[in-house]
Amino acid sequence: MTRIVSSAVLLAALSACGGGHPRGIPSRFDDVDPYAWRQNAPDTYPVHGIDVSRWQGQIDWHRVSGSGVAFAFIKATEGGDVADPLFAHHWQGATAAGIPAGAYHFYYHCRGGAEQALWFLENAPPRAGTLPPVLDIEWTQSRNCPRRPDPETVRAEAQAFLDVVTAAWGKRPVIYTTVDFWTENEMWRLGGYPFWLRSVAGHPQETYGHRHWTFWQYTGTGRVPGIANEVDLNAFAGSEAEWQAWLAAATL
């Protein structure tokens, strides 16, 4: 009886301090620093994926696939002269495991959009069976590029990048951004593109207003079987059937 009471007390204590699986995170994943999701939580969406770069190190992509990851966006380049050294490794692993993959470019505000697009295409040229390319545009923390251009310049250079990549791929890229960057630069003015929005402390409807989004990055501290380090987790804005339809239309 004492053991039963002790167990009950322990479970209550764990629950009170956040023990057990984090609320709102799909049961097949985990989160080492979860937000206290209460409504419109990530696990209300059925389709989830990851985005990775060299910081995730070596990945067991077959374990990742087995965990239910439905898509992966993989960093290819940044700025006008930096390539991710694990891009090819991650790309080959994801595709071998049957995970739909797409390449992304991390934008620097110290070079023109068209120039960066050419660098991206040099390292991630169009190839069949892939997700649309992604422009990751946000404020950088780099000491080498502290520039913060005015909103009109930001959007014009982003559009230059998008135009070059669209012409090469024949598909409109996805735009990834953050709450502050979205607001300060009025990124919704770049209409007609799928948006991938970061919001780790609230549903995009709360943090971005009633704006359409296709992907939602809901944590940067996720854990996925097959990946030793923390990883970004993302949800697709729709049902499994809607995901399959989007995939068929968006895949090159």
Side-chain angles (χ1 to χ4, degrees), residues 22-57:
R23 182 198 299 261
I25 300 298
S27 59
R28 57 192 183 273
F29 308 133
D30 206 342
D31 194 341
V32 301
D33 187 20
Y35 176 70
W37 301 104
R38 296 195 177 278
Q39 59 184 2
N40 297 324
D43 65 359
T44 61
Y45 294 90
V47 179
H48 295 258
I50 58 175
D51 58 277
V52 301
S53 68
R54 67 188 180 94
W55 300 111
Q56 275 66 51

PDB file of all heavy atoms in Angstrom, residues 22-57:
ATOM      1  N   PRO A  22       5.988  15.434 -23.419  1.00  0.00           N
ATOM      2  CA  PRO A  22       5.526  16.827 -23.444  1.00  0.00           C
ATOM      3  C   PRO A  22       4.179  16.981 -24.132  1.00  0.00           C
ATOM      4  O   PRO A  22       3.946  16.425 -25.205  1.00  0.00           O
ATOM      5  CB  PRO A  22       6.632  17.557 -24.210  1.00  0.00           C
ATOM      6  CG  PRO A  22       7.367  16.497 -24.957  1.00  0.00           C
ATOM      7  CD  PRO A  22       7.268  15.262 -24.119  1.00  0.00           C
ATOM      8  N   ARG A  23       3.300  17.728 -23.515  1.00  0.00           N
ATOM      9  CA  ARG A  23       1.966  17.979 -24.047  1.00  0.00           C
ATOM     10  C   ARG A  23       2.051  18.669 -25.412  1.00  0.00           C
ATOM     11  O   ARG A  23       2.808  19.616 -25.603  1.00  0.00           O
ATOM     12  CB  ARG A  23       1.197  18.868 -23.082  1.00  0.00           C
ATOM     13  CG  ARG A  23      -0.246  19.175 -23.501  1.00  0.00           C
ATOM     14  CD  ARG A  23      -0.760  20.387 -22.730  1.00  0.00           C
ATOM     15  NE  ARG A  23      -0.764  20.133 -21.292  1.00  0.00           N
ATOM     16  CZ  ARG A  23      -1.846  19.783 -20.603  1.00  0.00           C
ATOM     17  NH1 ARG A  23      -3.011  19.660 -21.205  1.00  0.00           N
ATOM     18  NH2 ARG A  23      -1.772  19.583 -19.312  1.00  0.00           N
ATOM     19  N   GLY A  24       1.253  18.158 -26.354  1.00  0.00           N
ATOM     20  CA  GLY A  24       1.150  18.799 -27.654  1.00  0.00           C
ATOM     21  C   GLY A  24       2.147  18.335 -28.695  1.00  0.00           C
ATOM     22  O   GLY A  24       2.008  18.673 -29.873  1.00  0.00           O
ATOM     23  N   ILE A  25       3.164  17.576 -28.293  1.00  0.00           N
ATOM     24  CA  ILE A  25       4.162  17.055 -29.225  1.00  0.00           C
ATOM     25  C   ILE A  25       3.727  15.658 -29.655  1.00  0.00           C
ATOM     26  O   ILE A  25       3.339  14.838 -28.814  1.00  0.00           O
ATOM     27  CB  ILE A  25       5.556  16.997 -28.572  1.00  0.00           C
ATOM     28  CG1 ILE A  25       5.997  18.393 -28.139  1.00  0.00           C
ATOM     29  CG2 ILE A  25       6.587  16.388 -29.523  1.00  0.00           C
ATOM     30  CD1 ILE A  25       6.138  19.388 -29.251  1.00  0.00           C
ATOM     31  N   PRO A  26       3.756  15.349 -30.961  1.00  0.00           N
ATOM     32  CA  PRO A  26       3.350  14.005 -31.396  1.00  0.00           C
ATOM     33  C   PRO A  26       4.079  12.918 -30.611  1.00  0.00           C
ATOM     34  O   PRO A  26       5.274  13.049 -30.325  1.00  0.00           O
ATOM     35  CB  PRO A  26       3.758  13.992 -32.882  1.00  0.00           C
ATOM     36  CG  PRO A  26       3.680  15.431 -33.292  1.00  0.00           C
ATOM     37  CD  PRO A  26       4.151  16.209 -32.094  1.00  0.00           C
ATOM     38  N   SER A  27       3.374  11.868 -30.272  1.00  0.00           N
ATOM     39  CA  SER A  27       3.913  10.841 -29.374  1.00  0.00           C
ATOM     40  C   SER A  27       5.145  10.148 -29.934  1.00  0.00           C
ATOM     41  O   SER A  27       5.952   9.612 -29.182  1.00  0.00           O
ATOM     42  CB  SER A  27       2.831   9.799 -29.068  1.00  0.00           C
ATOM     43  OG  SER A  27       2.369   9.187 -30.263  1.00  0.00           O
ATOM     44  N   ARG A  28       5.316  10.160 -31.247  1.00  0.00           N
ATOM     45  CA  ARG A  28       6.465   9.484 -31.847  1.00  0.00           C
ATOM     46  C   ARG A  28       7.744  10.311 -31.758  1.00  0.00           C
ATOM     47  O   ARG A  28       8.828   9.823 -32.066  1.00  0.00           O
ATOM     48  CB  ARG A  28       6.174   9.143 -33.315  1.00  0.00           C
ATOM     49  CG  ARG A  28       5.801  10.323 -34.196  1.00  0.00           C
ATOM     50  CD  ARG A  28       5.250   9.815 -35.518  1.00  0.00           C
ATOM     51  NE  ARG A  28       4.919  10.836 -36.491  1.00  0.00           N
ATOM     52  CZ  ARG A  28       3.763  11.473 -36.568  1.00  0.00           C
ATOM     53  NH1 ARG A  28       2.819  11.210 -35.664  1.00  0.00           N
ATOM     54  NH2 ARG A  28       3.524  12.365 -37.516  1.00  0.00           N
ATOM     55  N   PHE A  29       7.617  11.589 -31.349  1.00  0.00           N
ATOM     56  CA  PHE A  29       8.765  12.474 -31.178  1.00  0.00           C
ATOM     57  C   PHE A  29       8.868  12.906 -29.722  1.00  0.00           C
ATOM     58  O   PHE A  29       8.073  12.499 -28.882  1.00  0.00           O
ATOM     59  CB  PHE A  29       8.633  13.712 -32.081  1.00  0.00           C
ATOM     60  CG  PHE A  29       8.368  13.393 -33.530  1.00  0.00           C
ATOM     61  CD1 PHE A  29       7.363  14.060 -34.226  1.00  0.00           C
ATOM     62  CD2 PHE A  29       9.110  12.427 -34.189  1.00  0.00           C
ATOM     63  CE1 PHE A  29       7.112  13.771 -35.558  1.00  0.00           C
ATOM     64  CE2 PHE A  29       8.871  12.131 -35.523  1.00  0.00           C
ATOM     65  CZ  PHE A  29       7.861  12.812 -36.209  1.00  0.00           C
ATOM     66  N   ASP A  30       9.855  13.759 -29.443  1.00  0.00           N
ATOM     67  CA  ASP A  30      10.010  14.311 -28.094  1.00  0.00           C
ATOM     68  C   ASP A  30      10.511  15.744 -28.232  1.00  0.00           C
ATOM     69  O   ASP A  30      10.809  16.208 -29.339  1.00  0.00           O
ATOM     70  CB  ASP A  30      10.992  13.460 -27.281  1.00  0.00           C
ATOM     71  CG  ASP A  30      10.751  13.555 -25.781  1.00  0.00           C
ATOM     72  OD1 ASP A  30      10.081  14.515 -25.347  1.00  0.00           O
ATOM     73  OD2 ASP A  30      11.248  12.688 -25.044  1.00  0.00           O
ATOM     74  N   ASP A  31      10.607  16.443 -27.107  1.00  0.00           N
ATOM     75  CA  ASP A  31      11.076  17.821 -27.111  1.00  0.00           C
ATOM     76  C   ASP A  31      11.785  18.072 -25.787  1.00  0.00           C
ATOM     77  O   ASP A  31      11.204  17.857 -24.721  1.00  0.00           O
ATOM     78  CB  ASP A  31       9.893  18.783 -27.284  1.00  0.00           C
ATOM     79  CG  ASP A  31      10.324  20.196 -27.638  1.00  0.00           C
ATOM     80  OD1 ASP A  31      11.504  20.534 -27.411  1.00  0.00           O
ATOM     81  OD2 ASP A  31       9.489  20.962 -28.152  1.00  0.00           O
ATOM     82  N   VAL A  32      13.037  18.507 -25.852  1.00  0.00           N
ATOM     83  CA  VAL A  32      13.805  18.697 -24.620  1.00  0.00           C
ATOM     84  C   VAL A  32      13.486  20.021 -23.932  1.00  0.00           C
ATOM     85  O   VAL A  32      13.821  20.212 -22.763  1.00  0.00           O
ATOM     86  CB  VAL A  32      15.326  18.593 -24.885  1.00  0.00           C
ATOM     87  CG1 VAL A  32      15.672  17.235 -25.479  1.00  0.00           C
ATOM     88  CG2 VAL A  32      15.812  19.716 -25.794  1.00  0.00           C
ATOM     89  N   ASP A  33      12.872  20.949 -24.650  1.00  0.00           N
ATOM     90  CA  ASP A  33      12.496  22.224 -24.040  1.00  0.00           C
ATOM     91  C   ASP A  33      11.132  22.645 -24.580  1.00  0.00           C
ATOM     92  O   ASP A  33      11.007  23.641 -25.306  1.00  0.00           O
ATOM     93  CB  ASP A  33      13.549  23.295 -24.357  1.00  0.00           C
ATOM     94  CG  ASP A  33      13.303  24.603 -23.608  1.00  0.00           C
ATOM     95  OD1 ASP A  33      12.581  24.572 -22.587  1.00  0.00           O
ATOM     96  OD2 ASP A  33      13.826  25.641 -24.050  1.00  0.00           O
ATOM     97  N   PRO A  34      10.100  21.906 -24.226  1.00  0.00           N
ATOM     98  CA  PRO A  34       8.791  22.117 -24.856  1.00  0.00           C
ATOM     99  C   PRO A  34       8.062  23.358 -24.362  1.00  0.00           C
ATOM    100  O   PRO A  34       8.219  23.786 -23.219  1.00  0.00           O
ATOM    101  CB  PRO A  34       8.014  20.851 -24.467  1.00  0.00           C
ATOM    102  CG  PRO A  34       8.606  20.465 -23.144  1.00  0.00           C
ATOM    103  CD  PRO A  34      10.073  20.797 -23.257  1.00  0.00           C
ATOM    104  N   TYR A  35       7.258  23.913 -25.248  1.00  0.00           N
ATOM    105  CA  TYR A  35       6.326  24.975 -24.886  1.00  0.00           C
ATOM    106  C   TYR A  35       5.098  24.319 -24.251  1.00  0.00           C
ATOM    107  O   TYR A  35       4.780  23.160 -24.537  1.00  0.00           O
ATOM    108  CB  TYR A  35       5.931  25.754 -26.146  1.00  0.00           C
ATOM    109  CG  TYR A  35       4.902  26.821 -25.932  1.00  0.00           C
ATOM    110  CD1 TYR A  35       5.208  27.988 -25.231  1.00  0.00           C
ATOM    111  CD2 TYR A  35       3.609  26.679 -26.444  1.00  0.00           C
ATOM    112  CE1 TYR A  35       4.263  28.984 -25.037  1.00  0.00           C
ATOM    113  CE2 TYR A  35       2.651  27.678 -26.255  1.00  0.00           C
ATOM    114  CZ  TYR A  35       2.982  28.823 -25.546  1.00  0.00           C
ATOM    115  OH  TYR A  35       2.039  29.793 -25.359  1.00  0.00           O
ATOM    116  N   ALA A  36       4.419  25.061 -23.398  1.00  0.00           N
ATOM    117  CA  ALA A  36       3.233  24.514 -22.718  1.00  0.00           C
ATOM    118  C   ALA A  36       2.012  24.631 -23.639  1.00  0.00           C
ATOM    119  O   ALA A  36       1.154  25.502 -23.449  1.00  0.00           O
ATOM    120  CB  ALA A  36       3.000  25.248 -21.407  1.00  0.00           C
ATOM    121  N   TRP A  37       1.938  23.749 -24.644  1.00  0.00           N
ATOM    122  CA  TRP A  37       0.828  23.783 -25.588  1.00  0.00           C
ATOM    123  C   TRP A  37      -0.483  23.423 -24.893  1.00  0.00           C
ATOM    124  O   TRP A  37      -0.552  22.445 -24.149  1.00  0.00           O
ATOM    125  CB  TRP A  37       1.069  22.798 -26.728  1.00  0.00           C
ATOM    126  CG  TRP A  37       2.321  23.077 -27.498  1.00  0.00           C
ATOM    127  CD1 TRP A  37       3.503  22.413 -27.423  1.00  0.00           C
ATOM    128  CD2 TRP A  37       2.512  24.122 -28.462  1.00  0.00           C
ATOM    129  NE1 TRP A  37       4.427  22.973 -28.268  1.00  0.00           N
ATOM    130  CE2 TRP A  37       3.844  24.021 -28.925  1.00  0.00           C
ATOM    131  CE3 TRP A  37       1.686  25.122 -28.973  1.00  0.00           C
ATOM    132  CZ2 TRP A  37       4.370  24.893 -29.876  1.00  0.00           C
ATOM    133  CZ3 TRP A  37       2.211  25.989 -29.917  1.00  0.00           C
ATOM    134  CH2 TRP A  37       3.538  25.874 -30.358  1.00  0.00           C
ATOM    135  N   ARG A  38      -1.537  24.199 -25.176  1.00  0.00           N
ATOM    136  CA  ARG A  38      -2.833  23.929 -24.578  1.00  0.00           C
ATOM    137  C   ARG A  38      -3.921  23.789 -25.639  1.00  0.00           C
ATOM    138  O   ARG A  38      -4.770  22.938 -25.552  1.00  0.00           O
ATOM    139  CB  ARG A  38      -3.198  25.027 -23.569  1.00  0.00           C
ATOM    140  CG  ARG A  38      -2.249  25.063 -22.382  1.00  0.00           C
ATOM    141  CD  ARG A  38      -2.776  25.874 -21.234  1.00  0.00           C
ATOM    142  NE  ARG A  38      -1.867  25.822 -20.089  1.00  0.00           N
ATOM    143  CZ  ARG A  38      -1.819  24.846 -19.218  1.00  0.00           C
ATOM    144  NH1 ARG A  38      -2.641  23.816 -19.325  1.00  0.00           N
ATOM    145  NH2 ARG A  38      -0.968  24.874 -18.201  1.00  0.00           N
ATOM    146  N   GLN A  39      -3.909  24.637 -26.661  1.00  0.00           N
ATOM    147  CA  GLN A  39      -4.873  24.518 -27.738  1.00  0.00           C
ATOM    148  C   GLN A  39      -4.154  24.746 -29.066  1.00  0.00           C
ATOM    149  O   GLN A  39      -3.084  25.345 -29.097  1.00  0.00           O
ATOM    150  CB  GLN A  39      -6.006  25.522 -27.574  1.00  0.00           C
ATOM    151  CG  GLN A  39      -5.559  26.971 -27.536  1.00  0.00           C
ATOM    152  CD  GLN A  39      -6.716  27.922 -27.284  1.00  0.00           C
ATOM    153  OE1 GLN A  39      -7.851  27.495 -27.101  1.00  0.00           O
ATOM    154  NE2 GLN A  39      -6.442  29.211 -27.290  1.00  0.00           N
ATOM    155  N   ASN A  40      -4.750  24.229 -30.147  1.00  0.00           N
ATOM    156  CA  ASN A  40      -4.107  24.304 -31.462  1.00  0.00           C
ATOM    157  C   ASN A  40      -2.672  23.797 -31.398  1.00  0.00           C
ATOM    158  O   ASN A  40      -1.748  24.396 -31.942  1.00  0.00           O
ATOM    159  CB  ASN A  40      -4.129  25.742 -31.999  1.00  0.00           C
ATOM    160  CG  ASN A  40      -5.525  26.262 -32.234  1.00  0.00           C
ATOM    161  OD1 ASN A  40      -6.407  25.516 -32.649  1.00  0.00           O
ATOM    162  ND2 ASN A  40      -5.736  27.538 -31.962  1.00  0.00           N
ATOM    163  N   ALA A  41      -2.478  22.697 -30.676  1.00  0.00           N
ATOM    164  CA  ALA A  41      -1.142  22.144 -30.471  1.00  0.00           C
ATOM    165  C   ALA A  41      -0.651  21.431 -31.725  1.00  0.00           C
ATOM    166  O   ALA A  41      -1.441  21.031 -32.584  1.00  0.00           O
ATOM    167  CB  ALA A  41      -1.161  21.182 -29.282  1.00  0.00           C
ATOM    168  N   PRO A  42       0.661  21.248 -31.842  1.00  0.00           N
ATOM    169  CA  PRO A  42       1.204  20.563 -33.023  1.00  0.00           C
ATOM    170  C   PRO A  42       0.623  19.182 -33.269  1.00  0.00           C
ATOM    171  O   PRO A  42       0.449  18.769 -34.420  1.00  0.00           O
ATOM    172  CB  PRO A  42       2.702  20.493 -32.711  1.00  0.00           C
ATOM    173  CG  PRO A  42       2.956  21.682 -31.843  1.00  0.00           C
ATOM    174  CD  PRO A  42       1.737  21.805 -30.985  1.00  0.00           C
ATOM    175  N   ASP A  43       0.320  18.435 -32.193  1.00  0.00           N
ATOM    176  CA  ASP A  43      -0.149  17.063 -32.400  1.00  0.00           C
ATOM    177  C   ASP A  43      -1.582  16.983 -32.923  1.00  0.00           C
ATOM    178  O   ASP A  43      -2.101  15.887 -33.147  1.00  0.00           O
ATOM    179  CB  ASP A  43       0.013  16.223 -31.131  1.00  0.00           C
ATOM    180  CG  ASP A  43      -0.850  16.700 -29.964  1.00  0.00           C
ATOM    181  OD1 ASP A  43      -1.572  17.713 -30.123  1.00  0.00           O
ATOM    182  OD2 ASP A  43      -0.787  16.069 -28.897  1.00  0.00           O
ATOM    183  N   THR A  44      -2.229  18.135 -33.148  1.00  0.00           N
ATOM    184  CA  THR A  44      -3.537  18.108 -33.801  1.00  0.00           C
ATOM    185  C   THR A  44      -3.399  17.981 -35.316  1.00  0.00           C
ATOM    186  O   THR A  44      -4.404  17.811 -36.005  1.00  0.00           O
ATOM    187  CB  THR A  44      -4.359  19.375 -33.463  1.00  0.00           C
ATOM    188  OG1 THR A  44      -3.652  20.532 -33.928  1.00  0.00           O
ATOM    189  CG2 THR A  44      -4.585  19.489 -31.969  1.00  0.00           C
ATOM    190  N   TYR A  45      -2.167  18.065 -35.805  1.00  0.00           N
ATOM    191  CA  TYR A  45      -1.890  17.893 -37.238  1.00  0.00           C
ATOM    192  C   TYR A  45      -1.279  16.512 -37.463  1.00  0.00           C
ATOM    193  O   TYR A  45      -0.418  16.078 -36.692  1.00  0.00           O
ATOM    194  CB  TYR A  45      -0.940  18.982 -37.742  1.00  0.00           C
ATOM    195  CG  TYR A  45      -1.550  20.360 -37.691  1.00  0.00           C
ATOM    196  CD1 TYR A  45      -1.421  21.156 -36.551  1.00  0.00           C
ATOM    197  CD2 TYR A  45      -2.279  20.862 -38.762  1.00  0.00           C
ATOM    198  CE1 TYR A  45      -2.005  22.420 -36.483  1.00  0.00           C
ATOM    199  CE2 TYR A  45      -2.860  22.128 -38.711  1.00  0.00           C
ATOM    200  CZ  TYR A  45      -2.722  22.896 -37.568  1.00  0.00           C
ATOM    201  OH  TYR A  45      -3.302  24.134 -37.507  1.00  0.00           O
ATOM    202  N   PRO A  46      -1.685  15.810 -38.526  1.00  0.00           N
ATOM    203  CA  PRO A  46      -1.217  14.436 -38.720  1.00  0.00           C
ATOM    204  C   PRO A  46       0.131  14.299 -39.436  1.00  0.00           C
ATOM    205  O   PRO A  46       0.789  13.264 -39.314  1.00  0.00           O
ATOM    206  CB  PRO A  46      -2.331  13.808 -39.569  1.00  0.00           C
ATOM    207  CG  PRO A  46      -2.881  14.956 -40.350  1.00  0.00           C
ATOM    208  CD  PRO A  46      -2.792  16.152 -39.444  1.00  0.00           C
ATOM    209  N   VAL A  47       0.554  15.321 -40.187  1.00  0.00           N
ATOM    210  CA  VAL A  47       1.747  15.193 -41.038  1.00  0.00           C
ATOM    211  C   VAL A  47       2.871  16.072 -40.487  1.00  0.00           C
ATOM    212  O   VAL A  47       2.709  17.286 -40.349  1.00  0.00           O
ATOM    213  CB  VAL A  47       1.434  15.584 -42.493  1.00  0.00           C
ATOM    214  CG1 VAL A  47       2.686  15.460 -43.361  1.00  0.00           C
ATOM    215  CG2 VAL A  47       0.303  14.733 -43.049  1.00  0.00           C
ATOM    216  N   HIS A  48       4.002  15.426 -40.188  1.00  0.00           N
ATOM    217  CA  HIS A  48       5.123  16.139 -39.581  1.00  0.00           C
ATOM    218  C   HIS A  48       6.429  15.816 -40.306  1.00  0.00           C
ATOM    219  O   HIS A  48       6.590  14.746 -40.892  1.00  0.00           O
ATOM    220  CB  HIS A  48       5.254  15.763 -38.107  1.00  0.00           C
ATOM    221  CG  HIS A  48       4.083  16.201 -37.282  1.00  0.00           C
ATOM    222  ND1 HIS A  48       4.102  17.302 -36.459  1.00  0.00           N
ATOM    223  CD2 HIS A  48       2.821  15.691 -37.196  1.00  0.00           C
ATOM    224  CE1 HIS A  48       2.920  17.455 -35.887  1.00  0.00           C
ATOM    225  NE2 HIS A  48       2.119  16.485 -36.322  1.00  0.00           N
ATOM    226  N   GLY A  49       7.349  16.770 -40.244  1.00  0.00           N
ATOM    227  CA  GLY A  49       8.647  16.579 -40.871  1.00  0.00           C
ATOM    228  C   GLY A  49       9.730  17.313 -40.112  1.00  0.00           C
ATOM    229  O   GLY A  49       9.487  17.926 -39.059  1.00  0.00           O
ATOM    230  N   ILE A  50      10.937  17.300 -40.654  1.00  0.00           N
ATOM    231  CA  ILE A  50      12.095  17.900 -40.007  1.00  0.00           C
ATOM    232  C   ILE A  50      12.831  18.794 -40.993  1.00  0.00           C
ATOM    233  O   ILE A  50      12.623  18.701 -42.200  1.00  0.00           O
ATOM    234  CB  ILE A  50      13.062  16.822 -39.466  1.00  0.00           C
ATOM    235  CG1 ILE A  50      13.536  15.903 -40.612  1.00  0.00           C
ATOM    236  CG2 ILE A  50      12.409  16.009 -38.352  1.00  0.00           C
ATOM    237  CD1 ILE A  50      14.592  14.891 -40.193  1.00  0.00           C
ATOM    238  N   ASP A  51      13.685  19.669 -40.462  1.00  0.00           N
ATOM    239  CA  ASP A  51      14.680  20.330 -41.296  1.00  0.00           C
ATOM    240  C   ASP A  51      16.031  20.168 -40.622  1.00  0.00           C
ATOM    241  O   ASP A  51      16.137  20.242 -39.395  1.00  0.00           O
ATOM    242  CB  ASP A  51      14.323  21.798 -41.554  1.00  0.00           C
ATOM    243  CG  ASP A  51      14.170  22.628 -40.301  1.00  0.00           C
ATOM    244  OD1 ASP A  51      13.091  22.604 -39.699  1.00  0.00           O
ATOM    245  OD2 ASP A  51      15.151  23.322 -39.923  1.00  0.00           O
ATOM    246  N   VAL A  52      17.056  19.924 -41.419  1.00  0.00           N
ATOM    247  CA  VAL A  52      18.363  19.565 -40.882  1.00  0.00           C
ATOM    248  C   VAL A  52      19.477  20.300 -41.617  1.00  0.00           C
ATOM    249  O   VAL A  52      19.303  20.774 -42.742  1.00  0.00           O
ATOM    250  CB  VAL A  52      18.617  18.043 -40.974  1.00  0.00           C
ATOM    251  CG1 VAL A  52      17.562  17.260 -40.210  1.00  0.00           C
ATOM    252  CG2 VAL A  52      18.666  17.579 -42.433  1.00  0.00           C
ATOM    253  N   SER A  53      20.621  20.351 -40.951  1.00  0.00           N
ATOM    254  CA  SER A  53      21.841  20.893 -41.526  1.00  0.00           C
ATOM    255  C   SER A  53      23.010  20.110 -40.935  1.00  0.00           C
ATOM    256  O   SER A  53      22.805  19.074 -40.276  1.00  0.00           O
ATOM    257  CB  SER A  53      21.973  22.386 -41.188  1.00  0.00           C
ATOM    258  OG  SER A  53      22.208  22.555 -39.797  1.00  0.00           O
ATOM    259  N   ARG A  54      24.208  20.620 -41.125  1.00  0.00           N
ATOM    260  CA  ARG A  54      25.379  19.917 -40.590  1.00  0.00           C
ATOM    261  C   ARG A  54      25.346  19.811 -39.069  1.00  0.00           C
ATOM    262  O   ARG A  54      26.000  18.945 -38.486  1.00  0.00           O
ATOM    263  CB  ARG A  54      26.662  20.616 -41.029  1.00  0.00           C
ATOM    264  CG  ARG A  54      26.874  22.006 -40.444  1.00  0.00           C
ATOM    265  CD  ARG A  54      28.082  22.662 -41.106  1.00  0.00           C
ATOM    266  NE  ARG A  54      28.349  24.001 -40.598  1.00  0.00           N
ATOM    267  CZ  ARG A  54      29.198  24.266 -39.614  1.00  0.00           C
ATOM    268  NH1 ARG A  54      29.822  23.274 -38.981  1.00  0.00           N
ATOM    269  NH2 ARG A  54      29.423  25.507 -39.236  1.00  0.00           N
ATOM    270  N   TRP A  55      24.572  20.679 -38.426  1.00  0.00           N
ATOM    271  CA  TRP A  55      24.539  20.657 -36.968  1.00  0.00           C
ATOM    272  C   TRP A  55      23.891  19.401 -36.414  1.00  0.00           C
ATOM    273  O   TRP A  55      24.087  19.063 -35.238  1.00  0.00           O
ATOM    274  CB  TRP A  55      23.804  21.902 -36.451  1.00  0.00           C
ATOM    275  CG  TRP A  55      24.472  23.171 -36.870  1.00  0.00           C
ATOM    276  CD1 TRP A  55      24.005  24.096 -37.751  1.00  0.00           C
ATOM    277  CD2 TRP A  55      25.756  23.640 -36.457  1.00  0.00           C
ATOM    278  NE1 TRP A  55      24.905  25.119 -37.917  1.00  0.00           N
ATOM    279  CE2 TRP A  55      25.997  24.866 -37.124  1.00  0.00           C
ATOM    280  CE3 TRP A  55      26.736  23.149 -35.585  1.00  0.00           C
ATOM    281  CZ2 TRP A  55      27.175  25.597 -36.949  1.00  0.00           C
ATOM    282  CZ3 TRP A  55      27.905  23.890 -35.412  1.00  0.00           C
ATOM    283  CH2 TRP A  55      28.109  25.089 -36.086  1.00  0.00           C
ATOM    284  N   GLN A  56      23.131  18.684 -37.219  1.00  0.00           N
ATOM    285  CA  GLN A  56      22.545  17.418 -36.759  1.00  0.00           C
ATOM    286  C   GLN A  56      23.541  16.259 -36.880  1.00  0.00           C
ATOM    287  O   GLN A  56      23.278  15.175 -36.367  1.00  0.00           O
ATOM    288  CB  GLN A  56      21.274  17.082 -37.548  1.00  0.00           C
ATOM    289  CG  GLN A  56      20.018  17.742 -36.989  1.00  0.00           C
ATOM    290  CD  GLN A  56      20.031  19.234 -37.099  1.00  0.00           C
ATOM    291  OE1 GLN A  56      20.287  19.787 -38.173  1.00  0.00           O
ATOM    292  NE2 GLN A  56      19.756  19.930 -36.006  1.00  0.00           N
ATOM    293  N   GLY A  57      24.665  16.472 -37.558  1.00  0.00           N
ATOM    294  CA  GLY A  57      25.660  15.423 -37.700  1.00  0.00           C
ATOM    295  C   GLY A  57      25.156  14.273 -38.557  1.00  0.00           C
ATOM    296  O   GLY A  57      24.276  14.430 -39.403  1.00  0.00           O
TER     297      GLY A  57
END
